[in-house]
Amino acid sequence: MTDKIKQTITNFVKGGDNSDTALLDKVLHKDFRVTNNGFMGTTGVTVIDKEKYLANIRDGIFGGLPRKMIIESIDESKTIASVKLRLESLENHFISYNSLVLDTDNEWKIINNLAVVEAK
């Protein structure tokens, strides 16, 4: 199962890097949320649902820059998993904690992305 989790995470990052909303739609759970504290210089917590996230990718607000990805840890327990990522683009450093669920189609889907993004 760990290989399938790694592939889901890899597709999530590639989808963002390449602004590929079709790929992202396949790996994001229908109830997906991004949760960020201090999002793009704002104060407080920001929560973005799947529809808004995909629109932001499609509109070029998010994504479109290749990132180097390091999977720091994977913790799996039957139908749930947590993955910690470290990402780096030309502009930003990211720490990303991702919660995944094994969906009814027997595919791993990301249900929450908790991220900190810092400009270089």
Side-chain angles (χ1 to χ4, degrees), residues 17-18 64-68 88-90:
D17 291 355
N18 299 320
L65 288 175
R67 295 171 289 178
K68 185 172 99 176
E88 183 179 347
S89 72
L90 290 174

Side-chain angles (χ1 to χ4, degrees), residues 15-19 53 56-57 60-67:
D17 291 355
N18 299 320
S19 300
Y53 180 79
N56 285 346
I57 293 285
I61 296 166
F62 298 162
L65 288 175
R67 295 171 289 178

Side-chain angles (χ1 to χ4, degrees), residues 26-51:
K26 289 179 185 175
V27 299
L28 301 179
H29 188 273
K30 66 180 181 62
D31 295 318
F32 170 80
R33 299 284 183 270
V34 174
T35 307
N36 192 298
N37 195 351
F39 180 69
M40 297 180 125
T42 63
T43 57
V45 174
T46 301
V47 178
I48 301 167
D49 67 13
K50 180 178 179 178
E51 183 180 326

Side-chain angles (χ1 to χ4, degrees), residues 8 21 36 42 47 56 79 84 90 97 101-102 105 107 117:
T8 298
T21 56
N36 192 298
T42 63
V47 178
N56 285 346
T79 60
K84 180 182 179 185
L90 290 174
Y97 293 86
V101 293
L102 190 60
D105 61 0
E107 295 292 332
V117 181

Side-chain angles (χ1 to χ4, degrees), residues 6-24:
K6 285 181 183 176
Q7 189 60 56
T8 298
I9 290 295
T10 299
N11 287 344
F12 175 57
V13 173
K14 282 183 182 176
D17 291 355
N18 299 320
S19 300
D20 186 341
T21 56
L23 181 58
L24 287 167

Side-chain angles (χ1 to χ4, degrees), residues 59-93:
D59 296 342
I61 296 166
F62 298 162
L65 288 175
R67 295 171 289 178
K68 185 172 99 176
M69 176 182 77
I70 298 169
I71 296 176
E72 292 200 345
S73 65
I74 297 176
D75 188 8
E76 176 195 348
S77 184
K78 297 187 182 190
T79 60
I80 59 172
S82 178
V83 178
K84 180 182 179 185
L85 295 177
R86 190 171 298 274
L87 301 159
E88 183 179 347
S89 72
L90 290 174
E91 297 177 354
N92 299 301
H93 292 282

